[in-house]
């Protein structure tokens, strides 16, 4: 069963994107997945959401480094490159973005050059600042399609916020 997020969030998918069952959902760490309706050469760009409670003192940069290492276990040897990384957000709501380039075998044996853009959002409990949750949003697309769907992902990221249960 897909994982649940450490805190409830709300968001709006970009127009045309379709909610999807996370790949390997029986043991997936992904809480939510969506796919672009027009695949590029058989690969559907996808947006995933996951998250957790980091250990005390762990930084967003360390979490991003850990993502790079997990991707290296999946990608073709030596292909993972951190193309870009920067801190974002504010002191009250820190965030980090990074873009990774890599090659991987998909659909069993098709080698693809892929790009993954990740956004890490740190949510701090206002009642207890020592309680922190991290939400990771990721866009994975072929290198050829990435820039064409990046705007959709950026629009999506702007809609993500804690769900206070008030409904909209």
């Amino acid at each position: 069963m897909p994982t649940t997020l450490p805190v409830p969030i709300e968001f709006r998918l970009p127009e045309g994107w379709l909610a999807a069952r996370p790949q390997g959902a029986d043991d997936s760490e992904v809480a939510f997945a969506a796919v672009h309706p027009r695949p590029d050469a058989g690969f559907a760009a996808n947006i995933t959401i996951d998250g957790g409670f980091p250990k005390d003192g762990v930084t967003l940069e360390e979490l991003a480094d850990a993502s790079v290492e997990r991707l290296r276990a999946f990608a073709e040897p030596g292909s993972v490159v951190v193309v870009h990384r920067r801190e974002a957000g504010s002191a009250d709501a820190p965030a980090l973005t990074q873009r990774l380039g890599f090659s991987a075998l998909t659909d069993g044996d098709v080698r693809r050059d892929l790009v993954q853009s990740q956004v890490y959002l740190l949510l701090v409990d206002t009642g207890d600042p020592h309680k922190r949750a991290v939400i990771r949003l990721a866009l994975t697309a072929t290198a050829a399609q990435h820039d064409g769907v990046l705007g959709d992902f950026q629009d999506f990221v702007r809609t993500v916020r804690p769900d206070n249960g008030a409904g909209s």
Side-chain angles (χ1 to χ4, degrees):
M1 165 158 50
T3 191
T4 57
L5 292 172
V7 294
I9 62 170
E10 59 183 49
F11 55 86
R12 208 171 43 252
L13 278 178
E15 188 172 329
W17 287 73
L18 307 167
R21 182 176 169 91
Q23 192 171 17
D26 291 342
D27 59 356
S28 177
E29 293 180 6
V30 172
F32 179 83
V35 295
H36 192 268
R38 291 179 302 284
D40 175 42
F43 184 86
N46 59 80
I47 292 172
T48 57
I49 305 172
D50 63 56
F53 293 105
K55 294 181 181 175
D56 284 343
V58 173
T59 66
L60 290 177
E61 187 172 280
E62 289 168 327
L63 293 171
D65 287 342
S67 284
V68 171
E69 291 308 312
R70 281 192 305 277
L71 190 56
R72 283 190 172 127
F74 165 77
E76 294 211 351
S79 72
V80 178
V81 176
V82 177
V83 176
H84 175 79
R85 182 183 284 177
R86 76 175 179 86
E87 292 182 13
S90 64
D92 292 337
L96 182 137
T97 65
Q98 73 176 1
R99 184 177 297 179
L100 309 171
F102 63 101
S103 296
L105 293 178
T106 61
D107 302 323
D109 60 353
V110 178
R111 183 184 178 279
R112 299 190 192 277
D113 291 329
L114 302 172
V115 177
Q116 186 171 85
S117 290
Q118 301 175 341
V119 176
Y120 292 83
L121 305 173
L122 184 65
L123 306 173
V124 179
D125 186 321
T126 55
D128 181 357
H130 295 290
K131 284 185 175 176
R132 305 176 313 146
V134 171
I135 303 295
R136 181 177 66 151
L137 314 168
L139 166 68
T140 306
T142 62
Q145 190 180 33
H146 183 268
D147 289 349
V149 295
L150 182 59
D152 283 354
F153 180 64
Q154 291 166 333
D155 290 345
F156 164 75
V157 169
R158 283 190 280 277
T159 72
V160 175
R161 63 183 153 271
D163 183 355
N164 62 12
S168 20

